Amino acid sequence: MVSLEREPPNVLARVLLVVTAPMLVVGCSALGPPGPAAPSPQSTPPGSTGVPASSNYRAVLDWRQATIELPLDHFGMSLREQQLVTVAASVLFARCVDPKHAVSHIAKDRARRYLRVEPDATHWLFGYWDASYLKKRGLEVNAVHAPTLSAADQATSLQCAADPIYAEMEPISADVQPRTGEFDGLSRWSAEAYEKTVADARVADLVHRVDDCILQAGLTLDRTSPLGGVAVDDAWSEPETLKALVVEATCRDRVDFVQRASDVAAAYQAPMVTDHLEELTKMRAAATVRVAKAVDILREVGLI
Amino acid sequence: MTVKTDVRSTGRRIALALALTPLLLLWNPAASFAEENVGPTPPATTTNSPTVKTSETGSKVTPAIALPPDPQTGCIVYPGGIYGCWWERSGYRGATLSIPAVKFAKDTTCGYYDLTANPSGWANRISAVANWTRSPHYYYNQKNAKGSRLTVAAFTSKSSLSSTFDNRILSMTLTCYAA
C-alpha cells in the first residue's frame, strides 16, 4: 500500500482553499489529528478505474479507517468535525438537563472517550472492503460509539432537545437528513449519485467479479443486493459472520472494487458540484461556523 | 469469547422477557392498536444476530428511555419502554413497529441486520422513524450495515425519509441499554 497525496479537482481545490481558511484560523489544534484515530486520507495506488476520462474527480479511500471521501463530502463536515459537533451537542444537552447547568463528570467522560476513538462513519457504502481493517476491528466497527446523552426526565429532555442551540450542533453531512431544508442538498445529491453508481454497468460488471470470487470461496451470494456480496446466515456466530465478511472484503479488495465504484460515484457527483457550487459553498461556510462554535464549547469545558 | 457469553446470557433474559410480553399485551387493550400488521420483535441480538457487539459505554446504570412516543402515533409502549418506532407511511401514519427496550447487562450495540428476516415484513417498508433513545440510530439501505447510512440522532424523529431510504431500509444499529 502506498500513501499518496490527494489530488482534488481544480474547482474543488479553489473552493476548499476559500472555505477552509477560516477553519484553520478558528481551531486548527482542535480540528487536527487528535491522535492515532485522526482521519487522514490515504489511498491505494491509482490504476485504471474505467471512469470517464472527462472526470478529474477521484474518490479518496482511507485504508486506515475504511472510509470513502467523495467530492460532495468536501462541502459537508469531515468525520472529525462531525465528531466535534456531536460531542459539543452532548455537552450542551448535559448542561441543559442539569439543574445547576453544570456538565456532569459522566457526560464529560463519555465525550472524552468518543473524542479519542475513530468517529462513527459509513464504512461499507459499497459493501465490505479493506479486509485488514475489518479483521483488525471486527464487527465492533458497526457499533454506535457516539456518546449517550445525559439522562433526564421526559419534559426536560424534550425541552433540551428542542433548544435551537442544541439543534444547531447537528452535523452537516451526506449521512444526515437535516432538520431544516437548508442543507438537505448534500444528502440528496449524494443519494442521487449513489443510485446512479449502483445501477452503472461498470459497477455491475465489478459486482460479478466479486461474486465469482465469493463463490470460489464456497460461500453463498446475497442475490438481493445490487452490491452483491456474501449472504449472511442469521444462525452464524459473530466469528463466523466476520469470517464470511472478511472473504467478501478480500474479494472486493482483489478487484479494487471500492476504489472503482467510488470513482464512478465521484464522476457522477462532479457535475453536481459544478451545478450547485454556490449552494455547496454556503453549506461549507455554515459547517465551518458550526464547528467553530463546537470547538468553543469543548474548550470551555476542557475537553480539548 | 466474552461477547459470545454475554450475548447468550442476555439472550436468555430477553427470551424470557419476550415470552412474557404477549401476556402483558393481552392485559393492555390499547397495545393491540399498533399490532395491525406486524408483531413486535426484539433487536436482532436475540436471534444470534451477526453483528452483536457488547461494549461498555458507561460505568453507571442509566435509564434507557428518553421520551415516550406521541400518543397520536399509535406506537405501542411496552412496560419496559421502547427504543423507537417505525411507520410504514410518511407523516407517522400506517402500521407501526415499536422497538421494545430490551435490557442488557451493560450498554450494548444491537440491531436489526436483515429486515427481510427479522422483523419480517419490514424490509423496504419504513417511511418514518423516531429515535427515543439517548444515542443515535443508524439506518442502512442494504443488509448488514451496508450501503448508504442515515443517522437519526437521539431524540429525533423523521416524518418522511429521502428517496434513498424511503421504503428502502434493510438494516439498522442502535444502542441497547443496561437495565
Side-chain angles (χ1 to χ4, degrees), chain A:
Chain A
M1 193 187 317
V2 178
S3 179
L4 296 175
E5 296 265 336
R6 277 175 50 191
E7 297 175 275
N10 291 338
V11 175
L12 267 181
R14 281 200 302 273
V15 171
L16 286 174
L17 183 63
V18 172
V19 299
T20 58
M23 196 191 324
L24 295 173
V25 174
V26 167
C28 56
S29 63
L31 301 179
S40 172
Q42 189 176 24
S43 174
T44 49
S48 171
T49 62
V51 176
S54 58
S55 170
N56 60 351
Y57 289 78
R58 192 149 197 269
V60 178
L61 306 192
D62 181 347
W63 288 77
R64 290 189 306 179
Q65 296 189 85
T67 55
I68 304 161
E69 192 176 62
L70 297 173
L72 282 168
D73 295 330
H74 288 279
F75 297 93
M77 293 179 186
S78 68
L79 289 173
R80 175 61 175 169
E81 289 174 330
Q82 292 178 53
Q83 191 177 34
L84 290 169
V85 296
T86 299
V87 172
S90 75
V91 168
L92 289 175
F93 192 89
R95 184 179 283 155
C96 180
V97 300
D98 187 85
K100 295 177 181 173
H101 299 292
V103 182
S104 70
H105 290 301
I106 293 173
K108 279 189 185 177
D109 285 347
R110 286 179 182 146
R112 203 170 280 120
R113 191 178 300 132
Y114 186 52
L115 286 172
R116 285 178 185 153
V117 300
E118 286 179 19
D120 291 346
T122 304
H123 297 287
W124 320 123
L125 184 65
F126 295 112
Y128 283 83
W129 62 292
D130 199 349
S132 61
Y133 175 86
L134 182 59
K135 272 190 266 190
K136 182 179 155 194
R137 291 291 310 276
L139 295 175
E140 190 272 340
V141 72
N142 293 333
V144 179
H145 300 95
T148 301
L149 298 181
S150 299
D153 65 80
Q154 294 163 1
T156 306
S157 296
L158 269 174
Q159 188 185 349
C160 292
D163 190 326
I165 297 173
Y166 171 77
E168 202 191 350
M169 283 297 113
E170 183 178 63
I172 298 174
S173 104
D175 291 350
V176 175
Q177 188 179 319
R179 296 175 195 229
T180 62
E182 195 180 358
F183 305 122
D184 68 356
L186 202 53
S187 56
R188 195 171 66 247
W189 299 321
S190 295
E192 284 173 18
Y194 181 79
E195 296 303 323
K196 289 177 181 173
T197 302
V198 296
D200 191 287
R202 291 163 296 182
V203 174
D205 180 57
L206 287 167
V207 167
H208 287 311
R209 292 172 63 186
V210 170
D211 284 353
D212 285 346
C213 172
I214 290 169
L215 284 174
Q216 284 173 20
L219 292 167
T220 307
L221 298 177
D222 176 4
R223 297 192 184 275
T224 64
S225 171
L227 299 172
V230 171
V232 173
D233 190 325
D234 267 358
W236 287 348
S237 66
E238 183 177 328
E240 287 171 329
T241 301
L242 178 61
K243 193 176 173 186
L245 292 174
V246 167
V247 170
E248 175 180 324
T250 304
C251 287
R252 288 194 200 279
D253 293 349
R254 200 166 287 168
V255 298
D256 204 14
F257 180 89
V258 172
Q259 180 68 65
R260 293 177 179 207
S262 299
D263 285 345
V264 172
Y268 281 121
Q269 286 192 0
M272 296 173 176
V273 171
T274 307
D275 292 347
H276 304 287
L277 190 55
E278 189 178 344
E279 203 174 342
L280 287 164
T281 304
K282 284 180 184 171
M283 284 183 210
R284 182 54 251 185
T288 300
V289 170
R290 199 171 279 196
V291 172
K293 286 181 182 174
V295 168
D296 286 344
I297 291 164
L298 297 179
R299 279 197 179 131
E300 192 186 331
V301 294
L303 285 170
I304 56 173

Side-chain angles (χ1 to χ4, degrees), chain A residues 120 128 149 177 191 234 238, chain B residues 52 134 138 144 158 160 164:
Chain A
D120 291 346
Y128 283 83
L149 298 181
Q177 188 179 319
D234 267 358
E238 183 177 328
Chain B
V52 168
R134 293 180 287 111
Y138 296 138
N144 297 303
K158 300 291 177 193
S160 62
T164 307

Side-chain angles (χ1 to χ4, degrees), chain B residues 33-108:
Chain B
F33 173 75
E35 278 297 293
E36 187 180 347
N37 293 328
V38 180
T41 54
T45 46
T46 59
T47 55
N48 295 323
S49 170
T51 54
V52 168
K53 177 66 188 176
T54 302
S55 57
E56 293 272 10
T57 58
S59 56
K60 187 178 174 182
V61 173
T62 53
I65 302 306
L67 297 173
D70 181 337
Q72 304 292 323
T73 62
C75 294
I76 297 174
V77 182
Y78 296 108
I82 61 174
Y83 286 146
C85 198
W86 304 336
W87 291 262
E88 69 166 355
R89 293 169 62 196
S90 62
Y92 311 119
R93 293 175 299 140
T96 63
L97 177 72
S98 297
I99 305 173
V102 180
K103 308 296 184 190
F104 279 71
K106 53 188 176 181
D107 289 0
T108 302

